[in-house]
Amino acid sequence: MKNMKSKLVDILFLCMTVLPFAAGIVLRVLFRPLTEGVTVTGAQIYFTVPMPIQDLPVTEAQVNSLLVVLSLTGLCLFLTHGVTKIPHSRRQLLAEMLVEKVQELTDSNMGPRFSGFAPFVAAILALSAFSSLSSMLGLFSPTSDLNIVAGWALLVFILITYYKTRGGIGNYLREFTKPVVVLTPVNIIGEVATPLSMTLRHYGNILSGMVISTMLSVGLSGLSRLIFGWLPGAFGQFPFFEIGIPAVFSIYFDIFSGCLQAFIFAMLTMIYISNGFPGEAYEARMKRKSERIARRKQRQAEKTGVA
C-alpha cells in the first residue's frame, strides 16, 4: 500500500513536470493566428490588465516563464521525493550529483563565504536552460523576450549592489572615485552597464539562434522545391531537405547555445557578486560593530554595578 501511494505521488509530480509544457502548446495553438510564409515576431499578447498609469499586457513570454517554473517545481519534487539518508535509487543519486556539482561550481567561483548561493545559482541555470529549450517544443522561448531576461539581470544587479555595500555606503561610493576622481562618471556608467550587458548578451544570442533556425528551415524548404519541384504530385512539394538537417543545426542553436548562455549568465552572476564584495572593508566594519557592542555592554554593566 505504501509503495502504491509513493508511485501515485511520483506520477503526480511527473504530470506536474509535463503538463505545464502541454498547456503552453495548447495556448499557442489556440491564440497564435495562422500566417503564410515566414514571420519573426515577438511574444503573443494574451490579454491586457487595466492599470492606473499604464496597462499591463500579459504575454506569451510571461505565461511560458511561469509554466517553466511550475515544470521545474514538479521536477524537483519528483527528484527529491522519498529521499533517504543512504540513497537506494538512481533518482536520488541523480539529485545528489546535481546538488554536488552546483555546490562545487559555486564554491570554486565564489569561495566558501558564498557557499549558500548554490540554490540560487542552480535556479538561474535551470530556469534559463529550460526556458531556452522550450523552443524545441514549438513554444515561444521566454529568453527570447528582452523583458524577461532584463528582469533576471535586474535581480542580479540588486544582489551585486547589496553585497558591494556590505563594507559600508561610504566605502561603496568611494570606489567610484578610483583610481582618480575624474573617472567617476566612467565608473558610474560601467556600473549601470553591468545589467545591460548581461541582458543583451543572453537575449541577443538566444534570439539570433531562433532567427537563424527559422531562416534555415525556410531556406531548406525552398531548396527542396527548387530541386525536386519537377517531381509529380505531392513529391514535388515534399520538403526533403527539412528532414534531419534542421535537427542537426538545432543541436547547436537550441540545445548547446541555450545551455551555454545559461551557464554564462550564472557564471557572470557568481563573478560579479563575489568580486564586488569588499571583504577587508566588511571585516573592518564588523570589527568596529562588535567593539561598539562590547563597549555598550560594558557601560551597561558598569551602570548596573553602580546601581
Side-chain angles (χ1 to χ4, degrees), residues 226-246:
L226 178 65
I227 296 179
F228 300 104
W230 57 272
L231 293 175
F235 291 101
Q237 301 298 321
F238 189 80
F240 290 97
F241 288 120
E242 286 189 77
I243 301 176
I245 298 178

Side-chain angles (χ1 to χ4, degrees), residues 41-208:
T41 60
Q44 177 76 19
I45 299 177
Y46 289 139
F47 57 91
T48 303
V49 179
M51 301 292 286
I53 300 177
Q54 183 178 357
D55 292 343
L56 175 64
V58 177
T59 68
E60 191 177 9
Q62 295 168 323
V63 173
N64 289 352
S65 182
L66 177 60
L67 295 179
V68 170
V69 172
L70 293 176
S71 179
L72 286 174
T73 302
L75 179 61
C76 291
L77 291 174
F78 173 74
L79 291 176
T80 57
H81 178 239
V83 295
T84 57
K85 187 174 183 180
I86 300 177
H88 297 287
S89 63
R90 297 177 181 176
R91 176 174 54 185
Q92 183 172 345
L93 290 173
L94 175 61
E96 292 184 359
M97 182 191 71
L98 293 174
V99 171
E100 290 175 357
K101 293 299 182 183
V102 175
Q103 190 66 60
E104 291 175 1
L105 179 68
T106 306
D107 292 340
S108 61
N109 288 281
M110 303 186 74
R113 184 189 296 275
F114 295 94
S115 180
F117 258 79
F120 181 75
V121 173
I124 290 178
L125 283 169
L127 183 58
S128 177
F130 273 67
S131 295
S132 299
L133 294 176
S134 64
S135 63
M136 299 186 67
L137 300 176
L139 299 175
F140 182 86
S141 172
T143 49
S144 298
D145 191 300
L146 183 63
N147 300 294
I148 299 295
V149 184
W152 299 351
L154 181 60
L155 174 61
V156 172
F157 181 66
I158 292 173
L159 286 173
I160 295 171
T161 305
Y162 169 76
Y163 280 98
K164 282 186 175 182
T165 58
R166 295 293 287 165
I169 299 297
N171 179 77
Y172 171 70
L173 295 177
R174 281 194 296 272
E175 290 296 322
F176 289 105
T177 64
K178 296 179 180 179
V180 289
V181 179
V182 295
L183 292 180
T184 300
V186 177
N187 292 332
I188 294 175
I189 294 174
E191 189 77 1
V192 177
T194 298
L196 291 177
S197 64
M198 294 181 70
T199 300
L200 296 177
R201 179 185 291 109
H202 197 299
Y203 165 75
N205 282 281
I206 298 300
L207 181 63
S208 61

